[in-house]
Amino acid sequence: MEKLPLVDRCSRVIGESMSYVYFLSVAIIGFEVVARYFFNAPTIWAHESVIALTALGFIFGGVYAMQRGAHVRIFVVVQLLPKHWQRRIEIFNQALICAYLCVFIYACWGVAERSIQQWETSASAWNQPTPVLVKTALVVGGIAILIQSFAFLIRLIRGHSIPTSDAQVD
Amino acid sequence: MDISTITLLMAGGIFVLLVMGLPLAFVTASVAVVAALLQFGPNSLFLIASRTYTLVTEFAFVAVPMFIFMASILERSGVAKDLFRAMYIFAGGLRGGLAIQTMMVAVIMAAMTGIIGGEIVLLGLLALPQMLKHGYSKSLAIGTVCAGGSLGTMIPPSIVLIIYGLTANVSIGDLFVATVIPGLVLAALYIAYILIRCYIDPSLGPAASPEERQMPTREKLMLLKGLALPLFVAAFVMGTIYAGIASVSEAAGMGVIGALLSAIIRRELSWRMIHDALRQTMVACGMLLWLTFGANMLIGVYNLMGGTAFVQGFITGLPLEPWMILAVMMLVLIVLGLFMDWIGILLLTMPIFVPAIVALGYDPVWFGVLFCMNMQISYLSPPFGPAAFYLKGVAPPEISLMDIYKALWPFIILQFIGLTLVFAFPDLALWLPRVLLG
């Protein structure tokens, strides 16, 4: 494996370990369907836990996609410009992403803080604090992308390149 | 500021940032945040965050990673290879038989997966070298692989239709049923085209010689056995959705289990395979969902400003017949499809187009099918046809991107014919849901 900077390795570890929430979701869906149709005993927790788990996958998939350079973008117009302009635009873009993420984290924290204070539960038969979990995850997931984007920004300013969607091959 | 000025400013901002190469997920989100701050003040940011929370906990979204996961597993198993070999028995003797076989395999694969990319790569690895080896015309072979592989999102299940259903607030089950016949119409058009071309000029796709088609009956039966399970998986997933037994998300989850089971029975399953499939799912969903967050924020803010009502009033107020407005929308989609991915087009245009076509008295399910067919064109159309890029990645090196694009235009015309057919005869899409779902 190629040697990646520490921040990138962290992003990968987060993404790859969190990807197992989808595997877990599959298992839960299978369990629920069998319980419901074969034993006539539907669970009260399957539906909500699958939603919470996949939500975690979606949220932390953001930083993984960022590290892999997989966020969809239109690149060709910029490529027509001279090299030094390309670099300036790249730096501007990355700085804008960082600025936006700060606002996003601030907004999500406002929502999560209230949820934690009230210890918000799902108000269902299961009634677990899944809203607290997912709302906090939005803040954490946002911070993870911010750290990765900031690392990219520094790399760009120093004149290095960062992954783009063109380079992403699975 | 009045709403028309704001609309222009926002559209301009989006355009400039997009052209600058900022990822779409952050283009929409940052325009939304700036607009919200200027128009409603800092407190509106919490509204945006709440919307994101509501979106991420939407049960229907569970189907997206499930279908991608299922496709990633099937891609990594030998199912496609077996499918391709089995179809050889049936199509080998015909002129252009290999191409028709490829198209049939593409249709069956499309019924098991809901994404494009994987299917084109598989067909590019399996079918393209075979066709070239048997002296098929390069153009015909390339076009067959790209157009056939793109059917992945046309024949249900389909990620495009799931996201459309969520955006337009339409039943995903209805959409899946509605797109079956239009999807088959497209495939039939492709097959008819291949047959006619090869009938006129046999050198384009020579028939296999009898010796080549010799195969002991036992071997034939073995091939069919290998197919039974994956086909059962596809039938099972779609059957549960159509019969209304399970929600789309649950059916998708069961589809993953089916794909895993078939991989176990085929002795192909390993942790490595699951791990790789999960990674692919994670990247695809991370990209799709953050894109959706941004578009959702943008639409939320714009709606709050009265923008959606403004655009709807503008569209319905145009001095045009309703069908002409629809045709203009189709044209807009085709033009956007030249430059953008389906997901970007869907998230940016559908929240505005769908309420407008409903106000004009059209069925949003039918419109969803039209959109899906439109995106088929966008996969192939240069300069940014993703199908061409996927194929280029796996095609023999002597095939250039130019070769691929040159091969695709007859198929783009066929797609255009298909789109026009469904546009002119909405019952092609709406008849089946009416009969099946009432």
Side-chain angles (χ1 to χ4, degrees):
Chain A
M1 222 178 117
E2 79 274 45
K3 185 74 179 151
L4 285 169
L6 179 67
V7 175
D8 294 56
R9 265 181 289 160
C10 288
S11 301
R12 287 241 173 150
V13 168
I14 292 173
E16 287 174 19
S17 49
M18 289 305 287
S19 72
Y20 279 84
V21 296
Y22 295 131
F23 194 66
L24 208 57
S25 304
V26 171
I28 294 173
I29 289 175
F31 182 87
E32 162 72 12
V33 169
V34 171
R36 193 185 331 146
Y37 290 109
F38 295 93
F39 299 100
N40 205 17
T43 68
I44 55 164
W45 50 269
H47 187 79
E48 278 175 43
S49 51
V50 165
I51 290 177
L53 282 171
T54 49
L56 293 182
F58 296 152
I59 292 166
F60 289 101
V63 65
Y64 192 51
M66 172 67 83
Q67 196 283 321
R68 301 276 296 263
H71 285 294
V72 178
R73 52 190 291 198
I74 295 177
F75 208 52
V76 276
V77 185
V78 179
Q79 275 174 336
L80 300 176
L81 296 172
K83 271 274 178 289
H84 62 278
W85 270 104
Q86 281 185 31
R87 213 182 119 232
R88 280 177 208 172
I89 289 177
E90 284 280 274
I91 291 173
F92 171 83
N93 285 346
Q94 210 59 39
L96 189 63
I97 292 175
C98 290
Y100 158 71
L101 285 170
C102 291
V103 178
F104 177 80
I105 292 164
Y106 165 75
C108 287
W109 172 243
V111 172
E113 194 185 20
R114 197 159 23 148
S115 177
I116 294 169
Q117 275 165 5
Q118 300 168 346
W119 202 248
E120 186 187 2
T121 54
S122 53
S124 62
W126 195 36
N127 209 28
Q128 293 302 304
T130 47
V132 175
L133 177 71
V134 175
K135 286 177 180 174
T136 313
L138 272 171
V139 178
V140 180
I143 292 173
I145 309 189
L146 177 61
I147 294 173
Q148 182 67 63
S149 308
F150 197 69
F152 279 169
L153 178 62
I154 291 172
R155 236 170 278 170
L156 283 171
I157 291 172
R158 285 188 183 156
H160 302 297
S161 65
I162 60 170
T164 64
S165 46
D166 303 355
Q168 186 243 334
V169 178
D170 233 345
Chain B
M1 265 194 291
D2 72 325
I3 187 67
S4 51
T5 319
I6 296 173
T7 305
L8 278 176
L9 280 177
M10 284 172 81
I14 292 170
F15 179 76
V16 169
L17 290 175
L18 259 182
V19 165
M20 281 173 61
L22 186 69
L24 183 56
F26 301 108
V27 170
T28 47
S30 37
V31 170
V33 163
V34 171
L37 277 174
L38 290 180
Q39 198 74 7
F40 303 111
N43 278 333
S44 60
L45 292 177
F46 302 116
L47 210 74
I48 289 181
S50 302
R51 270 183 76 92
T52 305
Y53 168 75
T54 314
L55 181 85
V56 84
T57 50
E58 181 80 56
F59 185 54
F61 263 122
V62 173
V64 175
M66 295 298 125
F67 278 128
I68 297 179
F69 190 17
M70 180 179 164
S72 319
I73 291 169
L74 288 171
E75 270 168 32
R76 285 172 174 76
S77 81
V79 169
K81 206 188 220 161
D82 285 0
L83 198 58
F84 191 70
R85 280 182 57 203
M87 296 310 278
Y88 195 53
I89 307 170
F90 304 109
L94 275 170
R95 274 181 198 170
L98 261 175
I100 289 164
Q101 170 196 359
T102 306
M103 200 52 82
M104 308 276 269
V105 172
V107 169
I108 297 173
M109 294 282 298
M112 292 193 277
T113 65
I115 53 178
I116 88 154
E119 216 189 317
I120 293 173
V121 167
L122 277 175
L123 293 175
L125 288 170
L126 288 169
L128 188 62
Q130 281 285 329
M131 285 191 271
L132 296 179
K133 198 176 89 191
H134 285 83
Y136 274 59
S137 125
K138 201 159 65 174
S139 288
L140 193 69
I142 292 170
T144 305
V145 166
C146 283
S150 299
L151 289 173
T153 61
M154 186 69 211
I155 290 171
S158 156
I159 298 289
V160 176
L161 289 174
I162 293 174
I163 308 259
Y164 175 85
L166 283 164
T167 310
N169 220 348
V170 178
S171 147
I172 295 165
D174 284 4
L175 286 167
F176 277 8
V177 179
T179 194
V180 170
I181 292 179
L184 293 178
V185 165
L186 266 186
L189 282 172
Y190 298 153
I191 289 177
Y193 170 76
I194 295 166
L195 278 174
I196 293 170
R197 285 289 307 270
C198 292
Y199 182 78
I200 296 171
D201 183 359
S203 69
L204 289 176
S209 62
E211 305 88 75
E212 276 183 299
R213 282 181 289 130
Q214 285 279 317
M215 195 192 268
T217 316
R218 243 194 66 171
E219 213 171 303
K220 285 185 185 175
L221 285 176
M222 286 291 288
L223 279 179
L224 287 179
K225 212 181 88 192
L227 289 181
L229 198 64
L231 289 181
F232 172 75
V233 171
F236 174 73
V237 171
M238 297 327 291
T240 45
I241 295 172
Y242 294 159
I245 295 169
S247 63
V248 173
S249 296
E250 279 174 343
M254 295 308 283
V256 177
I257 292 178
L260 287 170
L261 280 179
S262 78
I264 289 173
I265 292 175
R266 301 169 52 83
R267 295 171 199 281
E268 289 167 338
L269 194 72
S270 65
W271 274 110
R272 183 82 240 155
M273 183 174 161
I274 293 176
H275 185 71
D276 287 348
L278 280 172
R279 274 177 34 183
Q280 188 183 342
T281 312
M282 195 68 174
V283 172
C285 288
M287 185 274 282
L288 280 175
L289 261 290
W290 280 78
L291 203 54
T292 315
F293 290 174
N296 183 52
M297 291 174 193
L298 187 69
I299 295 303
V301 172
Y302 193 56
N303 217 345
L304 216 58
M305 294 172 174
T308 318
F310 162 74
V311 176
Q312 196 183 317
F314 175 76
I315 293 176
T316 47
L318 286 174
L320 292 172
E321 295 288 314
W323 73 266
M324 287 160 87
I325 294 175
L326 222 56
V328 170
M329 285 180 179
M330 290 296 127
L331 225 69
V332 169
L333 292 177
I334 290 174
V335 171
L336 286 175
L338 298 177
F339 303 100
M340 274 168 79
D341 248 13
W342 67 268
I343 178 77
I345 301 172
L346 196 165
L347 293 173
L348 287 180
T349 59
M350 287 304 124
I352 292 166
F353 282 6
V354 174
I357 64 113
V358 172
L360 290 171
Y362 290 112
D363 190 331
V365 171
W366 174 59
F367 194 70
V369 175
L370 288 176
F371 174 76
C372 206
M373 298 191 82
N374 226 307
M375 290 306 104
Q376 291 286 309
I377 300 177
S378 85
Y379 295 149
L380 302 193
S381 57
F384 307 109
F389 293 128
Y390 284 120
L391 186 66
K392 179 75 187 96
V394 293
E398 67 269 19
I399 290 178
S400 71
L401 208 53
M402 213 49 215
D403 289 332
I404 298 179
Y405 279 129
K406 262 191 266 172
L408 292 182
W409 69 262
F411 288 87
I412 295 177
I413 293 175
L414 293 173
Q415 288 171 335
F416 205 80
I417 295 171
L419 178 66
T420 313
L421 280 175
V422 178
F423 189 90
F425 308 103
D427 265 355
L428 280 174
L430 297 175
W431 175 77
L432 198 60
R434 210 164 41 226
V435 173
L436 273 184
L437 309 170

